[in-house]
């Protein structure tokens, strides 16, 4: 096994594979006593030699390595033993997984595998634009009171102009049903006339999964991760996937929602550890652009872009 693959298999959390060892930087390995003699002493049983660690690395036992890896949430599907390699059927739309190989053609009695695979293949690319809502009133006690601030409305105007300037034919705007996301959508939509708007509770803000490493200034109750996490994961499965096989042209879709939701979606779409969502930061009114190819490959074009805003208009509240 190559050293690179060994390290990949050791990475915990990338795809839920078994932990073989953990690599930790240390100094030079100590010299063996007795001039490096590996023969067993008289009267003792021979013990298989442990694999030598590459210089500068220390192999830890599986139990010690696993102790540092938090258990994955039950709703996250991770293929065992993949060691962080790309799962081509991440959205359950890989053509080979969609057909019944046992089904025979009634006339010839043979599988027309190539024809059926082609029928299930996506042909178009989906462009997903994830927009974080603009700045809002943090003093509001209820959601209806958390309206956009004057600066927040300016930010939404700037975001709307930016999206319009791209010259793309947007298919729809799907937005969180929370007040700040709804108001942001209304302002953006002025610059995209004719684009239909759809509201959904799935994209509401919440605590998607316990972050790793943890933070001291934000510690929701465990039940909040349990309730919000399953809903936000449902939003990911419902909205983030390759195009339907019937879709002929590339699509451009806007999702106006919240920082936690966007960061979690980015981690899941790129097959990064979802627990790392809080390691990213998103400005108000920012644009994150995901591309999902017909073969299921995903690329992140931009993350939290606010380069179209003047410096004095940029906030992260």
């Amino acid at each position: 096994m190559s050293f690179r693959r060994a390290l990949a298999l050791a990475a915990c959390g990338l795809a839920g594979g078994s932990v073989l060892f953990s690599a930790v930087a240390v100094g030079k390995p100590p010299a063996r006593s007795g001039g490096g003699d590996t023969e067993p002493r008289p009267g003792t049983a021979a013990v298989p030699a442990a694999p030598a660690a590459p210089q500068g690395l220390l192999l830890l036992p599986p139990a010690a390595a696993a102790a540092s890896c938090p258990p994955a949430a039950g709703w996250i599907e991770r293929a065992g033993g993949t060691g962080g390699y790309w799962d081509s059927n991440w959205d359950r739309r890989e053509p080979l997984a969609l057909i019944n190989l046992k089904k025979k053609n009634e006339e010839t009695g043979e599988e027309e595998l190539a024809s059926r695979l082609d029928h299930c293949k996506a042909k178009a690319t989906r462009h997903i634009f994830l927009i974080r809502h603009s700045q809002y009133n943090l003093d509001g006690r209820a959601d209806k009171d958390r309206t956009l601030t004057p600066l927040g409305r300016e930010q939404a105007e700037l975001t709307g102009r930016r999206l319009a300037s791209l010259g793309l034919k947007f298919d729809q705007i799907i937005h969180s049903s929370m007040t700040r996301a709804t108001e942001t959508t209304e302002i953006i939509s002025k610059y995209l006339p004719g684009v239909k708007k759809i509201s959904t509770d799935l994209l509401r803000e919440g605590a998607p999964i316990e972050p790793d490493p943890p933070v001291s200034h934000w510690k929701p109750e465990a039940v909040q991760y349990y309730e919000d996490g399953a809903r936000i994961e449902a939003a990911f499965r419902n909205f983030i996937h390759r195009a339907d096989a019937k879709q002929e042209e590339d699509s451009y879709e806007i999702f106006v929602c919240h920082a936690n939701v966007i960061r979690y979606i980015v981690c899941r779409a790129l097959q990064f550890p979802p627990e790392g969502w809080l390691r990213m930061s998103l400005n108000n009114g920012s644009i994150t652009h995901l591309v999902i190819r017909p073969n299921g490959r995903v690329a992140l074009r931009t993350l939290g872009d606010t380069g179209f805003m003047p410096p004095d208009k940029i906030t992260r509240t």
Side-chain angles (χ1 to χ4, degrees):
M1 179 184 296
S2 68
F3 173 53
R4 180 175 291 180
R5 177 164 174 77
L7 283 181
L9 289 171
C12 58
L14 285 179
S18 301
V19 177
L20 301 183
F21 64 87
S22 281
V24 188
V26 295
K28 290 185 178 180
R32 296 187 181 184
S33 60
D37 185 11
T38 59
E39 293 295 323
R41 295 181 180 178
T44 62
V47 179
Q55 186 168 343
L57 296 176
L58 173 65
L59 301 187
L60 300 180
S68 64
C69 299
W75 58 84
I76 304 294
E77 294 183 15
R78 292 174 176 169
T82 58
Y85 294 99
W86 183 258
D87 175 13
S88 60
N89 194 32
W90 63 274
D91 58 353
R92 300 301 182 265
R93 291 174 180 243
E94 187 69 13
L96 196 59
L98 295 176
I99 64 175
N100 182 0
L101 295 177
K102 295 181 180 179
K103 187 176 181 181
K104 303 291 184 179
N105 182 280
E106 294 180 357
E107 296 181 0
T108 64
E110 297 178 355
E111 291 180 333
E112 296 183 345
L113 181 58
S115 174
R116 288 160 59 192
L117 282 174
D118 187 65
H119 179 72
C120 296
K121 285 182 180 178
K123 305 172 185 63
T125 296
R126 292 185 68 206
H127 292 263
I128 306 293
F129 293 84
L130 299 160
I131 313 299
R132 189 192 175 195
H133 60 78
S134 301
Q135 186 190 68
Y136 68 101
N137 175 25
L138 293 172
D139 296 327
R141 304 186 67 177
D143 177 62
K144 64 181 179 64
D145 302 319
R146 294 168 186 161
T147 55
L148 297 185
T149 64
L151 174 56
R153 301 187 71 83
E154 287 185 62
Q155 292 169 340
E157 298 276 354
L158 291 167
T159 303
R161 292 194 189 104
R162 172 59 177 169
L163 290 170
S165 72
L166 298 177
L168 301 173
K169 182 183 177 182
F170 289 102
D171 297 86
Q172 59 184 354
I173 303 176
I174 300 177
H175 64 90
S176 159
S177 57
M178 299 187 83
T179 300
R180 54 190 181 272
T182 301
E183 290 188 343
T184 301
T185 300
E186 291 301 321
I187 294 174
I188 288 176
S189 65
K190 294 190 307 180
Y191 297 91
L192 303 170
V195 180
K196 64 179 179 180
K197 301 185 291 289
I198 301 172
S199 177
T200 177
D201 291 339
L202 289 179
L203 291 173
R204 292 174 73 90
E205 184 63 299
I209 191 172
E210 189 171 358
D212 183 26
V215 293
S216 58
H217 62 277
W218 186 71
K219 290 186 176 180
E221 297 292 332
V223 68
Q224 188 173 347
Y225 290 118
Y226 181 78
E227 294 174 351
D228 295 347
R231 172 180 55 78
I232 297 172
E233 171 66 14
F236 170 78
R237 297 190 190 190
N238 193 55
F239 298 123
I240 311 300
H241 52 75
R242 74 192 76 183
D244 188 271
K246 297 178 181 179
Q247 182 176 323
E248 298 290 339
E249 299 181 353
D250 293 353
S251 58
Y252 301 87
E253 302 159 69
I254 297 171
F255 293 82
V256 181
C257 49
H258 309 270
N260 295 359
V261 178
I262 294 172
R263 293 181 284 189
Y264 178 81
I265 285 176
V266 168
C267 286
R268 289 284 282 118
L270 299 177
Q271 297 188 26
F272 292 165
E275 295 87 355
W277 64 273
L278 203 49
R279 303 172 201 173
M280 295 178 279
S281 182
L282 298 176
N283 295 332
N284 295 113
S286 62
I287 301 174
T288 295
H289 182 185
L290 280 172
V291 179
I292 308 177
R293 299 295 183 189
N295 61 3
R297 300 288 178 87
V298 181
L300 180 64
R301 290 276 182 89
T302 59
L303 176 67
D305 176 31
T306 49
F308 52 87
M309 291 188 184
D312 62 337
K313 304 295 183 184
I314 296 176
T315 62
R316 286 193 301 274
T317 56

